[in-house]
């Protein structure tokens, strides 16, 4: 089945309406900056994603669920190319420009090679060194923007040491380098540095959010995005004693803070969870996009389970937000003083509460419990205080789990290959090329196409008025088995401007064995004026030049144009002002002969047409 995405905003006009309410868009003007679309809409770590829109040349930062996406090449007015981070999780793409404009795009689905939650042990002293002052807390990043993964280790003596890969996908790390302040002195938070990497203000300069012994969370921003100055930092204070001050009545208050960052509720505003010495966690959320000061965050209190119970992991919990099993929901790993790692997952789509799953294991059995306690089963005398970090260091598509601990070393575990999730290189039961829609006088017309099908049973069209509660409106039989391209269509005649001015659609694909998966969401806005009836593309077949037009459009409008192969691989993307006059696609690459899918996304919907390159 195709890779699942739980929700996305795929219509430009509706996205503008929603984000304007959140204050995420600048006022509409001739020079407005917009995200129209990106391709592909699902991708694996390391893949290139092309974001298209208008006035994007000033892009400074692109993030996915709080993780920085490395920009490839130079952004242009109509497109930005970015790399999916090694430990990325499905989430909303957020782009920031040098003018301070924040553009919240649709969700990008991140595919994984495995959905296993068992991680086999690979080492007991991965870096070959021990943290000064013991109590190692790892995190990962790419501070100097060179594409090599860095393992950063917060140390018990308050300093942070950086180990960089010797080369891409290598398990060998270069010698450690201590991070420094802007004046060249050693960066030192006092005791028990617990870092995570972020870009809160979206200016392209990464920040280290570092918890320390007294419970304060400090913010260190690098001086430059590349070169030697990428390892020099300016310091400010973000949160002071979020747990309160330790007293005789509350001896566990106010100490050993450990922050982690993601966008839990998928609203384009980053959330920071802070764990502490009392075993609970506090949640903070940006009040406005790019907030990076204490006043810019809203405190939401203690993090809870779905039933309202406060999560309490014992003493000195160290949380990490990630998509641990690749199912599109954010998970929370919590390292404990006892040396175990507890797994929680979001209680629902975009939820800010969690369900408790259990302790992590190496093999799925209680005998394989990951345990870094003094009498733990993974090693002897490691002293507890497990501190998790994840990335894919060796580039094999399987996540690596790094655990700091009381004796200062770092253990490495690697995700096992899941029998439930096919390899990314294996053929999918249904290879979905497109799922598109547009508003017509007769209703909302939905079209989708598959390149191949294997054991497919049916396609169920689901609709929603609010993008949250979906109901089935039609079921169409699938091909069962097909090795050639097939097209499907459904007209929702009940959708009219009066009855359903805005309607969300998703496609549920049902396999012969009963398993299901969902497509991205298509949003149709019937209230949008000047909806074209069709698109023109000619000549078809074409040789070197392909022109497109909207013959039914009353006035030129912004259109995201893309070309992809029948297997869904993007080969071209741009944003044009299109109307009835034909326009040649500029900078069209040299394409191999064959059939391609032309996709035009307007404010009223998306239109596709097959074109042939001679």
């Amino acid at each position: 089945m195709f890779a699942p995405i739980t929700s996305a905003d795929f219509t430009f006009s509706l996205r503008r309406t929603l984000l304007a309410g959140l204050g995420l868009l600048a006022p509409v003007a001739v020079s407005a900056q917009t995200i129209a679309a990106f391709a592909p809409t699902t991708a694996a770590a390391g893949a290139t994603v092309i974001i298209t829109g208008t006035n994007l040349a000033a892009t400074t930062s692109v993030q996915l669920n709080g993780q920085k996406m490395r920009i490839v090449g130079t952004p242009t007015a109509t497109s930005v190319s970015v790399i999916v981070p090694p430990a990325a999780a499905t989430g909303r793409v957020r782009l920031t420009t040098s003018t301070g404009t924040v553009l919240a795009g649709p969700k990008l689905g991140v595919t994984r090679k495995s959905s296993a939650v068992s991680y086999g042990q690979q080492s007991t002293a991965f870096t070959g060194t021990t943290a000064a002052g013991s109590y190692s807390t790892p995190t990962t990043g790419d501070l100097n923007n060179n594409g090599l993964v860095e393992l950063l280790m917060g140390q018990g003596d308050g300093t942070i040491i950086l180990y960089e890969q010797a080369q891409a996908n290598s398990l060998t790390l270069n010698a450690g380098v201590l991070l420094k302040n802007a004046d060249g002195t050693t960066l030192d938070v006092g005791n028990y540095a617990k870092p995570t990497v972020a870009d809160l203000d979206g200016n392209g300069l990464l920040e280290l959010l570092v918890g320390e012994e007294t419970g304060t969370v400090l913010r260190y921003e690098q001086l430059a995005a590349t070169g030697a100055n990428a390892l020099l930092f300016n310091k400010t204070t973000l949160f002071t004693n979020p747990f309160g001050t330790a007293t005789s009545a509350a001896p566990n208050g106010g100490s050993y803070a450990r922050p982690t960052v993601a966008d839990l509720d998928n609203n384009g505003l980053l959330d920071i969870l802070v764990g502490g010495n009392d075993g609970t966690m506090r949640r903070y959320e940006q009040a406005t996009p790019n907030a990076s000061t204490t006043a810019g965050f809203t405190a939401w209190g203690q993090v809870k389970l779905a039933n309202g119970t406060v999560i309490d992991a014992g003493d000195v919990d160290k949380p990490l937000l990630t998509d641990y099993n690749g199912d599109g929901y954010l998970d929370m790993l919590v390292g404990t003083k006892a040396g175990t790692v507890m797994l929680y997952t979001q209680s629902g789509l975009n939820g800010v509460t969690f369900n408790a799953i259990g302790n992590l294991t190496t093999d799925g059995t209680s005998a394989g419990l990951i345990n870094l306690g003094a009498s733990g089963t993974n090693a002897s005398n490691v002293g507890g205080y497990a501190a998790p970090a994840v990335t894919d260091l060796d580039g094999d598509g399987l996540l690596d789990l790094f655990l700091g601990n009381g004796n200062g070393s770092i253990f490495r575990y690697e995700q096992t290959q899941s029998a439930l999730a096919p390899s990314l290189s294996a053929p999918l039961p249904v290879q979905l090329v497109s799922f598109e829609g547009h508003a017509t006088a007769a209703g909302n017309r939905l079209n989708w196409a598959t390149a191949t099908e294997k054991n497919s049973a049916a396609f169920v069209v689901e609709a929603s008025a609010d993008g949250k509660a979906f109901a089935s409106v039609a079921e169409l039989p699938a091909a069962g088995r097909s090795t050639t391209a097939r097209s499907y269509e459904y007209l929702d005649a009940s959708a009219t401007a009066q009855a359903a001015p805005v309607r969300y659609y998703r496609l549920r694909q049902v396999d012969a064995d009963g398993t299901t998966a969902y497509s991205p969401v298509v949003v149709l806005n019937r209230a949008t004026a000047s909806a074209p009836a069709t698109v023109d593309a000619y000549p078809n077949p074409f040789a070197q030049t392909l022109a497109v037009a909207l013959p039914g459009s009353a006035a030129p409008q912004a259109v995201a144009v893309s070309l992809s192969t029948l297997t869904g691989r993007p080969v071209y993307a741009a944003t044009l002002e299109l109307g009835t006059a034909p326009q040649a696609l500029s900078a069209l690459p040299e394409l191999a002969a064959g059939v391609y899918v032309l996709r035009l996304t307007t404010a009223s919907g998306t239109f596709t047409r097959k074109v042939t390159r001679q």
Side-chain angles (χ1 to χ4, degrees), residues 250-614:
N252 285 335
S255 54
Y256 306 112
R258 202 276 171 90
T260 183
V261 179
D263 181 4
L264 277 175
D265 48 4
N266 192 42
N267 64 354
L269 303 171
L270 293 178
D271 299 283
I272 300 177
L273 303 190
V274 183
N277 195 43
D278 66 355
T280 66
M281 285 155 277
R282 268 64 173 176
R283 172 179 167 241
Y284 297 83
E285 185 179 53
Q286 288 176 320
T288 59
N290 293 341
S292 59
T293 65
T294 305
F297 280 81
T298 300
W300 288 100
Q302 294 176 313
V303 181
K304 298 180 180 180
L305 296 173
N307 63 9
T309 303
V310 172
I311 294 176
D312 188 344
D315 292 338
V316 195
D317 59 335
K318 301 177 183 180
L320 173 72
L321 289 171
T322 184
D323 183 3
Y324 193 64
N325 58 358
D327 64 355
Y329 287 74
L330 282 171
D331 304 300
M332 182 170 62
L333 306 183
V334 181
T336 70
K337 178 181 178 181
T340 59
V341 182
M342 303 170 69
L343 173 62
Y344 300 82
T345 194
Q346 281 179 302
S347 56
L349 177 63
N350 305 329
V352 296
T353 59
F354 293 84
N355 292 325
I357 306 301
N359 289 318
L360 299 190
T361 68
T362 60
D363 58 5
T365 70
S366 57
L369 178 70
I370 291 178
N371 187 350
L372 303 186
S375 58
T377 56
N378 301 119
S380 60
N381 196 31
V382 292
Y385 297 95
V390 296
T391 190
D392 180 9
L393 195 63
D394 51 4
D396 63 356
L398 301 172
L399 283 181
D400 300 295
L401 169 66
F402 296 95
L403 293 180
N405 55 79
N407 75 2
S409 62
I410 293 180
F411 286 35
R412 173 178 171 254
Y413 301 78
E414 187 172 62
Q415 188 179 30
T416 58
Q417 178 68 58
S418 171
L420 300 177
S423 167
L424 292 178
S425 61
L428 298 174
V430 170
Q431 194 168 16
L432 190 71
V433 175
S434 62
F435 176 50
E436 317 289 1
H438 61 276
T440 71
N444 289 341
R445 190 175 302 279
L446 302 168
N447 300 87
W448 62 98
T450 62
T452 61
E453 296 182 36
K454 180 181 179 182
N455 300 327
S456 58
F459 293 101
V460 179
V461 178
E462 297 184 351
S464 170
D466 59 6
K468 300 177 181 178
F470 283 83
S472 172
V473 295
E475 181 172 332
L476 283 73
R481 179 178 294 273
S482 173
T483 58
T484 60
R486 299 182 68 89
S487 298
Y488 299 84
E489 181 176 285
Y490 172 71
L491 176 67
D492 183 6
S494 67
T496 64
Q498 294 76 28
V502 176
R503 184 163 286 189
Y504 301 74
Y505 293 94
R506 68 185 183 187
L507 193 64
R508 176 159 54 93
Q509 183 261 312
V510 183
D511 287 351
D513 63 1
T515 59
T516 63
Y518 288 92
S519 75
V521 171
V522 167
V523 189
L524 297 183
N525 185 355
R526 301 188 61 84
T528 303
S530 187
T534 185
V535 301
D536 278 350
Y538 49 87
N540 189 17
F542 70 98
Q544 300 296 329
T545 302
L546 179 65
V548 294
L550 300 175
S553 180
Q557 57 184 290
V559 180
V561 181
S562 67
L563 277 172
S564 62
T565 65
L566 288 179
T567 61
R569 180 175 61 86
V571 296
Y572 176 81
T575 300
L576 303 175
E577 287 288 325
L578 285 183
T580 56
Q583 232 185 104
L585 301 184
S586 60
L588 191 66
E590 184 69 28
L591 299 174
V595 179
Y596 294 86
V597 177
L598 172 68
R599 181 177 291 107
L600 280 74
T601 301
T602 71
S604 61
T606 301
F607 304 79
T608 58
R609 172 167 293 187
K610 290 181 181 178
V611 294
T612 302
R613 167 67 163 88
Q614 291 179 325

